[in-house]
Amino acid sequence: PGTEIQLATPEDHQVVAYLFEGEGYFGGEEIYVEAVRMVIFERGETFRARSGLAVETRFMLMAGGQFGEEIFPYGPFVMNTREEIQQAFEDLRNGTFVQN
């Protein structure tokens, strides 16, 4: 609790943080976010995060070159559309999500 982090990120990279536990303040404007949420940063923006004072904050930070596609995050999945997310959950229920 109360921890801050700031990281320079490459200008040509998309940066996202997947907050899966706790709460925190993200970006230069310190936008308040509670778990479970994904925070998408603008290109070239320095990554900033500050955890809340009462609970631990845990997130996964990801960055990479942009691939020029829309993203639709839901739970542990990130796909291009809501329909693809629904199909992933259906595949999980049917036992066909991972095939050898």
Side-chain angles (χ1 to χ4, degrees):
T3 302
E4 294 183 34
I5 185 170
Q6 180 173 317
L7 299 169
T9 59
E11 286 192 24
D12 62 341
H13 277 46
Q14 178 68 56
V15 178
V16 297
Y18 178 66
L19 178 65
F20 57 90
E21 185 177 317
E23 62 188 26
Y25 301 86
F26 289 83
E29 296 181 15
E30 293 201 331
I31 297 168
Y32 178 74
V33 180
E34 293 179 328
V36 172
R37 294 281 185 256
M38 183 173 287
V39 182
I40 301 172
F41 293 83
E42 296 292 326
R43 281 181 49 174
E45 184 177 0
T46 297
F47 173 77
R48 292 184 180 93
R50 181 171 56 88
S51 65
L53 297 175
V55 297
E56 283 189 2
T57 301
R58 297 180 65 200
F59 61 87
M60 181 179 356
L61 179 63
M62 299 166 276
Q66 290 194 352
F67 48 85
E69 295 183 28
E70 294 293 319
I71 63 169
F72 188 90
Y74 188 85
F77 299 108
V78 178
M79 302 284 190
N80 297 108
T81 65
R82 173 184 296 274
E83 293 75 22
E84 289 176 338
I85 295 288
Q86 291 169 336
Q87 182 64 53
F89 277 105
E90 184 176 326
D91 291 346
L92 273 176
R93 283 189 294 275
N94 295 334
T96 59
F97 183 70
V98 176
Q99 299 177 357
N100 292 329

